[in-house]
Amino acid sequence: MIGALKGRLDSTHDGGCVFDVNGVGYLLSCSRKTLDALSGKDGVQRLLVETRVSQDAITLYGFADAAEREAFRALIEVKTVGPQKALIVLSSLTPDGLARAIAGKERKRLSEVKGLGAATANRIVDEPAMQKWAVGRATPEADGEGALPAAPPEQGAEADAISALVNLGWKQPQAASAIARVAKRLGEGATLDALIRDGLKEMAR
């Protein structure tokens, strides 16, 4: 399997490029963002590659960086999201932008990606593995009130919200700190759903 290529951009076409490696032209499918990155540089460049083998073809997908390849791998595991739709998403959203949209359950933002559709956008947002990937990519903001994170409550909706974020892959101190900020902002009586929703948004900033 091919994991990376070092060479020069030979030509681009809709949905991909020909990448020249020592006189051999590799046909790669790429996102628009990767194509723009390749076209913006001269000389020898390095592309990360994902090789996908089907019954009738071996297809190479090229990526400008590891973050985009990681996002591609996550997307193609979602039912009905094949490699081509994954590239459509990554042509419109950066990996960080995609992670924020999924963590914040921004269905409209994803459904507005041309060629994706509302049903597929909803499937991406609702896929538990994608939620875990998205939250795992996000970097929470500093608490701003000292080095020690807020202690988690022992019971109630806040504790349940923290547990939900931990189950999605966050560390307990980070989850507790985020939920504490959300609870303070929403005030008493905040529902569990609101705490989780805003907690995800907080951690995806």
Side-chain angles (χ1 to χ4, degrees):
M1 296 294 181
I2 298 174
L5 293 171
K6 184 178 287 187
R8 298 173 183 272
L9 178 65
D10 179 270
S11 62
T12 64
H13 58 271
D14 187 25
C17 69
V18 175
F19 200 63
D20 188 320
V21 180
N22 297 324
V24 178
Y26 288 84
L27 181 63
L28 302 172
S29 293
C30 307
S31 72
R32 171 49 54 188
K33 293 184 182 298
T34 287
L35 290 178
D36 289 344
L38 287 174
S39 300
K41 299 178 182 178
D42 294 324
V44 175
Q45 301 185 63
R46 184 173 183 268
L47 272 182
L48 297 177
V49 175
E50 180 78 4
T51 305
R52 307 293 297 180
V53 180
S54 62
Q55 289 185 336
D56 55 0
I58 298 176
T59 307
L60 303 180
Y61 297 90
F63 306 94
D65 55 52
E68 189 182 53
R69 183 170 66 177
E70 178 191 341
F72 175 85
R73 288 172 172 173
L75 282 166
I76 61 176
E77 293 302 318
V78 180
K79 188 177 180 180
T80 75
V81 180
Q84 294 306 317
K85 282 192 176 180
L87 291 182
I88 286 174
V89 173
L90 294 172
S91 291
S92 297
L93 297 171
T94 65
D96 286 343
L98 175 63
R100 287 193 295 271
I102 293 172
K105 293 188 178 294
E106 298 177 27
R107 302 173 189 276
K108 183 178 179 182
R109 184 178 181 188
L110 276 172
S111 67
E112 289 174 347
V113 172
K114 187 176 180 180
L116 189 62
T120 302
N122 286 333
R123 191 179 293 275
I124 291 172
V125 169
D126 292 334
E127 176 66 40
M130 288 303 301
Q131 281 288 329
K132 186 172 182 178
W133 169 84
V135 174
R137 275 195 55 82
T139 302
E141 293 180 323
D143 186 61
E145 298 180 358
L148 295 177
E154 295 183 356
Q155 58 185 0
E158 291 180 50
D160 291 339
I162 292 169
S163 178
L165 295 188
V166 170
N167 289 336
L168 285 171
W170 280 93
K171 301 292 186 182
Q172 176 81 16
Q174 297 169 336
S177 195
I179 293 300
R181 293 194 295 271
V182 169
K184 183 177 180 180
R185 184 169 66 245
L186 294 180
E188 293 185 12
T191 65
L192 176 59
D193 286 346
L195 288 168
I196 293 174
R197 183 186 63 246
D198 284 24
L200 286 169
K201 292 180 179 179
E202 183 79 18
M203 300 174 86
R205 287 180 180 175

